Amino acid sequence: MGWTNSVPIFHDDITYILQPEIPQYVLSFIDDVGAKGPKDWRLIDGKPATHPDNPGIRLALWDFFQVLNRVLQRMKHCG
C-alpha cells in the first residue's frame, strides 16, 4: 500500500537531481535514465579524432564518458 506512488516519486527525484543535464545529455524515463551518446565522431582526414594526451582514446567517447561521470557523481552526491 505504501509503495503505490514510488515510480512517480522516483521519476521526480531523478529529474530534479539531473536538471542541469536534461535534455542535452540525459533523458529520464519512467524508471530509467538514458544518456545520449555522441552524434558524430569528429572525423579528421577520414579517421576519428583522438585525445591529445592518449591517441588510443577516441575524443567522442572521451566526451561521452565525461558526461556519464558527471551523472554518476550527481547520483552519488545525492545518496
Side-chain angles (χ1 to χ4, degrees):
M1 186 75 133
W3 296 99
T4 304
N5 292 328
S6 62
V7 173
I9 290 171
F10 172 80
H11 184 264
D12 290 344
D13 292 344
I14 292 298
T15 303
Y16 180 77
I17 292 168
L18 298 176
Q19 274 179 343
E21 308 294 336
I22 296 173
Q24 187 175 4
Y25 299 113
V26 175
L27 292 175
S28 174
F29 300 107
I30 294 172
D31 62 347
D32 197 7
V33 176
K36 295 181 182 180
K39 291 185 180 185
D40 63 353
W41 285 90
R42 301 182 197 170
L43 298 177
I44 299 174
D45 296 329
K47 296 180 182 178
T50 58
H51 193 274
D53 294 334
N54 188 341
I57 299 175
R58 303 291 187 252
L59 201 54
L61 289 178
W62 177 260
D63 293 342
F64 177 64
F65 287 132
Q66 285 182 326
V67 169
L68 286 180
N69 187 37
R70 280 198 317 264
V71 168
L72 292 175
Q73 292 303 317
R74 287 182 191 281
M75 300 293 277
K76 179 180 169 184
H77 178 72
C78 291

